[in-house]
Amino acid sequence: MAYIVPSDLSRLSLSGAQNAELKALQMLKAELPNDFTIFHGVHWSREYEAWTHFGEIDFVVLNRSGEVLFIEQKNGGLEETDEGLVKRYGTDEKNVAQQVHRSIDKVREKFNWLNGKNRSLVVDYLT
């Protein structure tokens, strides 16, 4: 059984976490072996001289060898457009691939900024 962070699922449901995400988190916890740690609702930031980028990743799965998997979960329907899959939120839309790649790019940039360009962070993703 994988270790999850935060570890108290009942608090997550009380704090307004989406039911479908909690079900996915429970499934990941039950199905993955204990060499995996799953971080739920990870907020990241990447600061520059004049601005800061912010974002959130639904799940970050980490194994003991340091390999990282980002999971961006979209609930409900997606629409296929010329630009790729999009999720509509009222009048707004988010391109799923662009959203997850933006998170990966900014987290890698910050990792390199903190650890030097000689070290690399290998990240894979699921949407």
Side-chain angles (χ1 to χ4, degrees), residues 20 73-79 86-87:
Q73 180 171 331
K74 298 296 182 195
N75 302 315
L78 297 174
E79 187 175 318
V86 297
K87 175 69 177 169

Side-chain angles (χ1 to χ4, degrees), residues 83 94-103:
E83 289 78 37
K94 289 189 177 181
N95 181 296
V96 178
Q98 287 176 359
Q99 185 180 11
V100 74
H101 283 285
R102 176 179 175 262
S103 290

Side-chain angles (χ1 to χ4, degrees), residues 45-49 51-53 110 113-114:
S45 65
R46 176 66 174 107
E47 63 280 351
Y48 300 91
E49 280 187 26
W51 70 92
T52 302
H53 286 218
K110 188 160 189 175
W113 181 71
L114 293 170

Side-chain angles (χ1 to χ4, degrees), residues 62-78:
L62 179 66
N63 67 18
R64 288 188 183 176
S65 65
E67 296 168 315
V68 181
L69 176 71
F70 287 1
I71 301 174
E72 182 61 36
Q73 180 171 331
K74 298 296 182 195
N75 302 315
L78 297 174

Side-chain angles (χ1 to χ4, degrees), residues 1-3 28-37 62-64:
M1 184 177 300
Y3 182 73
L28 289 167
K29 179 183 178 182
E31 298 295 326
L32 290 174
N34 63 357
D35 347 341
F36 288 87
T37 300
L62 179 66
N63 67 18
R64 288 188 183 176

